[in-house]
Structures are given as structure tokens and as C-alpha cells.
């Protein structure tokens, strides 16, 4: 449990307990089947290193020190709560400072960290059944969840979710598991091969949080709104407010500027991973075309009306756009200047694409390669 200034803003332990209690059970598998899935995911994670490095020409002289952890849904929850506690600490400290000087402070004081922990746990229980894998860039080490020795993160593969989706899509399990590992290994390669990337991304996130001018009441209401939607608590017939997400609490021009840069870099990272997993695919994943087609259809439609509402509220629709926009950018640049030419994107923060350049790759090529636009 985190205590800031003597007051508990979020009961993190209760968030974990709530999410663990509410998360849906995974698909039915026998003990032997579960062991086999875990073993195969570990093998695929290992083999993906060579495939990704060979295709991207990145990190060929770098030794990974980040562990690969095959986890269940509660394990994913625990890992992410640990990460949230670390990265959100500055924002919580700022909210605590405002707590005693605003009407929101009275509301938070009444509601307390326990209710906030329950509501956060409800959101995590929803997300825990949907994430296939994740490279945790800012993960602090815990007793059960180690990280790299030199400040690296950890790669998580959520076994029950992978099995659930491969069954739902009716695709070849061996191919799908390797395909997922290729995506996550690309993220690990990005951060291990580009030493400045982690610090740059953390700096941008902290700059965003430092500029936050958010009334604690507003934050609490957004979390509660998401939790109520999840629980079916929105009154019948009540419309949402135009689809605002939790991320859309931006208050200042400076924060909007930082968010624009963050969106661009995250689009690049996600799009690059999608480009790589499909680019490597034909050589090592025979059914990659079928998997991609079915997976895209699943991404687009969502599972239900509730799923679509929560995706909008949590900003997950924006994440889907990041995959599409980023992949288009990477594909266009590689087509124009080749993989080595694209890899100049990793030279420094100044060579990252802007949000505008993501939509117009030729402008990035012209700027970074000093060539006239076509």
C-alpha cells in the first residue's frame, strides 16, 4: 500500500486483490496442456530473438538481460500494478498536494484509497483478460517478478489469453504463439538496441505528469465512470459524453504538446512491431496471412457493446490507431529507403517522427535523409 504524505491515495494491494477476484477464468486446459503451452512460449520467445534481429538489423551485438515471464491473468495484474505505482508516483504526489486545498480533496478524503483501489481493480480485471503480451519498460523488480539487472524491463506473455484467442480465431496454435512472441520480442529489441529510448520515453511521461493540472475529483470521476460501465452501472438510456478517454484529461497547451510527441513515438514502436511480426512471418509462420486477417477482424469489431464502450473510455481505440498509423509509416519508409535507411529513426530523439510525419512519411525521409520530397 502506497502512503503519500500520510494519506493513502490508492490502496494498491486492494486493487490487486479486487482484480484477481473479478478477473474471468482462463480457458480450460489440463495441467499437462498448461505446462506444454508455457514451455512452447518460452521456446518461441527465445527463437524470436534471432528472427527479429535478423529482419530488423538491430541489436545484433547486444545481450539481453531482460527476463521472459509467462504469466497468468493475476500475474499480469500484479506486474502492472507495480509499474503503475512507479510511473504514477509524481502525479499522485501532485494530487496529494492539491487534496487539502480543493473541493476535490474533501471528496477523495471521504472516498479514500480503498474505494479507489477497488475501482482500479475492476478496470484491471477487464484488461487482464485481453492482453496477449507486454514488454514492461519501467517495471520495478519484485520478489515474484524480476527485471533486467541493468535497469531493463521484463517481457510478459499472458498464456491463458494467448490460448483463448488462438481458439477463438481457430488458427494454428504453434504459428499464433510464435507470431505473438515476434511482436513482443520486437519491443524488447527496440529498447535493448536503442540505449537512449527508455530514458527519453520516461522523460516524456514525467514531463506530461509534471504539467498535469487535474482536479482530483475529475480523476476520481473518470475512474468511477469506467468502473460503472464495466459493472453495467450506467443508467439505462444514458449516453456517454462524446467518448472522452482517461487520457483526455489534458489541461494545458504544454501537456498537449508532450502528448503529441508521446503518441508519435508509441505509434512508431507499435507499428514497427506489427511490421516486423508480419515481415518475419512468411519464413517462420506459414499461416501468417490467415492469422493477420482474422486478428484484424477481431481488433476492429471488439467482443461486445460493453467492450467497445470500455475501449473508447480507456483510450484503447487510440492504441489501435497507433498500430495502423505506425505500421503504414514504417512500411512506407522501408519501401523508400530500405531497412537501414529506416533504422536512422533510432539515431536520437531528434530523428523520431513527429505526429505529422507519421501521416506523411516522405516528410520524415526528406528531413532525416536530407532528400527532396517526392
Amino acid at each position: 500500500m502506497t502512503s503519500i504524505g500520510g494519506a493513502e491515495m490508492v490502496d494498491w494491494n486492494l486493487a490487486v486483490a479486487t482484480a484477481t477476484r473479478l478477473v474471468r477464468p482462463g480457458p480450460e486446459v489440463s495441467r499437462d496442456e498448461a505446462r506444454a503451452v508455457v514451455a512452447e512460449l518460452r521456446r518461441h520467445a527465445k527463437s524470436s530473438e534471432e528472427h527479429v534481429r535478423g529482419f530488423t538489423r538491430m541489436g545484433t551485438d547486444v545481450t539481453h538481460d531482460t527476463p521472459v515471464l509467462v504469466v497468468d491473468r493475476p500475474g499480469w495484474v500484479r506486474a502492472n500494478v507495480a509499474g503503475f505505482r512507479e510511473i504514477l508516483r509524481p502525479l499522485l504526489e501532485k494530487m496529494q498536494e492539491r487534496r487539502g486545498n480543493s473541493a476535490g480533496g474533501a471528496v477523495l478524503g471521504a472516498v479514500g484509497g480503498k474505494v479507489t483501489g477497488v475501482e482500479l481493480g475492476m478496470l484491471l480485471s477487464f484488461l487482464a483478460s485481453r492482453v496477449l503480451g507486454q514488454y514492461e519498460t519501467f517495471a520495478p523488480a519484485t520478489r515474484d517478478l524480476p527485471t533486467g539487472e541493468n535497469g531493463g524491463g521484463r517481457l510478459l506473455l499472458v498464456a491463458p489469453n494467448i490460448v483463448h484467442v488462438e481458439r477463438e480465431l481457430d488458427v494454428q496454435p504453434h504459428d499464433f504463439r510464435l507470431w505473438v512472441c515476434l511482436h513482443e520480442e520486437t519491443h524488447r529489441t527496440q529498447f535493448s538496441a536503442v540505449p537512449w529510448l527508455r530514458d527519453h520515453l520516461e522523460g516524456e511521461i514525467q514531463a506530461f505528469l509534471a504539467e498535469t493540472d487535474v482536479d482530483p475529483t475529475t480523476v476520481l470521476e473518470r475512474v468511477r465512470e469506467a468502473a460503472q460501465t464495466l459493472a453495467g452501472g450506467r443508467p439505462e438510456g444514458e449516453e456517454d459524453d462524446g467518448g472522452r478517454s482517461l487520457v483526455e484529461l489534458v489541461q494545458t497547451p504544454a501537456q498537449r504538446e508532450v502528448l503529441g510527441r508521446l503518441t508519435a513515438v508509441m505509434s512508431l514502436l507499435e507499428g514497427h512491431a506489427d511490421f516486423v511480426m508480419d515481415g518475419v512471418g512468411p519464413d517462420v509462420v506459414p499461416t501468417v496471412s490467415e492469422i493477420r486477417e482474422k486478428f484484424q477482424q477481431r481488433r476492429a469489431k471488439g467482443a461486445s457493446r460493453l467492450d467497445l464502450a470500455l475501449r473508447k473510455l480507456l483510450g484503447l481505440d487510440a492504441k489501435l490507431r497507433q498500430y495502423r498509423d505506425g505500421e503504414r509509416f514504417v512500411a512506407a519508409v522501408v519501401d523508400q529507403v530500405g531497412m537501414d535507411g529506416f533504422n536512422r529513426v533510432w539515431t536520437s530523439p531528434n530523428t523520431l517522427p513527429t505526429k505529422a510525419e507519421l501521416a506523411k512519411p516522405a516528410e520524415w525521409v526528406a528531413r532525416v535523409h536530407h532528400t527532396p520530397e517526392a
Side-chain angles (χ1 to χ4, degrees):
M1 191 179 300
T2 297
S3 179
I4 301 174
E8 298 160 359
M9 295 293 291
V10 179
D11 187 333
W12 297 105
N13 290 342
L14 187 56
V16 172
T18 301
T20 301
R21 185 175 68 253
L22 295 179
V23 70
R24 297 174 183 175
E28 291 187 9
V29 295
S30 69
R31 187 179 298 272
D32 288 342
E33 287 174 319
R35 289 196 185 104
V37 170
V38 170
E40 183 173 24
L41 287 172
R42 291 188 186 281
R43 290 196 302 272
H44 286 331
K46 181 64 177 176
S47 66
S48 293
E49 291 184 34
E50 181 179 353
H51 297 315
V52 169
R53 291 182 180 202
F55 184 80
T56 63
R57 303 175 194 173
M58 295 174 63
T60 55
D61 58 347
V62 175
T63 300
H64 282 316
D65 75 335
T66 53
V68 176
L69 306 179
V70 182
V71 299
D72 57 9
R73 290 169 178 175
W76 179 88
V77 169
R78 290 192 296 272
N80 276 267
V81 165
F84 290 159
R85 290 179 69 168
E86 188 71 20
I87 203 69
L88 292 178
R89 191 180 303 276
L91 178 59
L92 292 179
E93 289 175 347
K94 186 167 186 175
M95 289 174 63
Q96 174 60 26
E97 290 176 2
R98 295 192 57 175
R99 183 173 176 172
N101 301 318
S102 68
V107 173
L108 276 176
V111 174
K114 291 189 179 301
V115 173
T116 308
V118 168
E119 291 169 339
L120 177 60
M122 293 177 70
L123 296 181
L124 288 170
S125 72
F126 169 79
L127 295 172
S129 63
R130 283 155 174 77
V131 177
L132 301 181
Q134 176 181 355
Y135 181 75
E136 284 199 293
T137 313
F138 309 110
T142 67
R143 182 180 61 184
D144 300 325
L145 297 163
T147 62
E149 294 180 1
N150 299 316
R154 56 185 169 230
L155 194 155
L156 304 180
L157 297 169
V158 191
N161 295 350
I162 293 172
V163 172
H164 171 77
V165 174
E166 69 191 27
R167 291 178 178 179
E168 180 183 297
L169 298 181
D170 190 24
V171 293
Q172 213 285 332
H174 171 85
D175 286 3
F176 184 74
R177 294 167 193 176
L178 177 55
W179 190 69
V180 171
C181 288
L182 290 169
H183 182 101
E184 303 309 329
E185 176 59 34
T186 301
H187 286 317
R188 185 162 69 151
T189 297
Q190 290 164 347
F191 284 94
S192 61
V194 185
W196 54 264
L197 185 58
R198 181 186 185 279
D199 289 342
H200 172 71
L201 192 58
E202 183 176 17
E204 292 284 55
I205 292 171
Q206 295 305 333
F208 179 86
L209 296 178
E211 290 290 337
T212 301
D213 184 20
V214 177
D215 181 353
T217 308
T218 306
V219 176
L220 178 60
E221 285 303 314
R222 284 296 166 195
V223 174
R224 296 187 68 183
E225 182 179 350
Q228 288 168 1
T229 303
L230 179 60
R234 182 184 293 279
E236 185 69 26
E238 181 179 325
E239 299 295 329
D240 64 29
D241 60 355
R244 291 183 65 196
S245 74
L246 291 171
V247 176
E248 293 174 315
L249 293 169
V250 176
Q251 298 280 315
T252 67
Q255 205 176 18
R256 293 188 186 96
E257 184 178 338
V258 174
L259 185 59
R261 296 196 301 268
L262 274 171
T263 299
V265 70
M266 294 309 298
S267 297
L268 172 69
L269 298 178
E270 295 293 357
H272 183 235
D274 263 14
F275 178 81
V276 172
M277 71 194 295
D278 288 348
V280 172
D283 292 332
V284 298
V285 183
T287 60
V288 64
S289 297
E290 176 192 357
I291 291 172
R292 170 55 74 185
E293 181 179 358
K294 290 183 175 180
F295 195 74
Q296 290 289 68
Q297 291 173 356
R298 182 180 184 274
R299 268 183 181 174
K301 69 181 182 181
S304 65
R305 182 177 178 182
L306 173 62
D307 186 75
L308 292 172
L310 276 167
R311 279 182 9 183
K312 179 179 291 186
L313 182 61
L314 297 174
L316 301 184
D317 281 347
K319 185 174 179 64
L320 297 184
R321 288 194 296 273
Q322 289 176 4
Y323 285 102
R324 294 193 298 267
D325 296 346
E327 185 176 13
R328 290 192 194 105
F329 171 83
V330 176
V333 172
V334 171
D335 183 62
Q336 188 170 345
V337 296
M339 186 62 73
D340 290 334
F342 165 78
N343 281 341
R344 291 182 64 174
V345 77
W346 312 116
T347 304
S348 75
N350 293 330
T351 56
L352 292 172
T354 64
K355 198 172 179 180
E357 288 171 339
L358 279 174
K360 298 180 178 180
E363 293 184 359
W364 179 87
V365 172
R367 176 172 67 85
V368 173
H369 288 265
H370 307 293
T371 59
E373 296 181 41

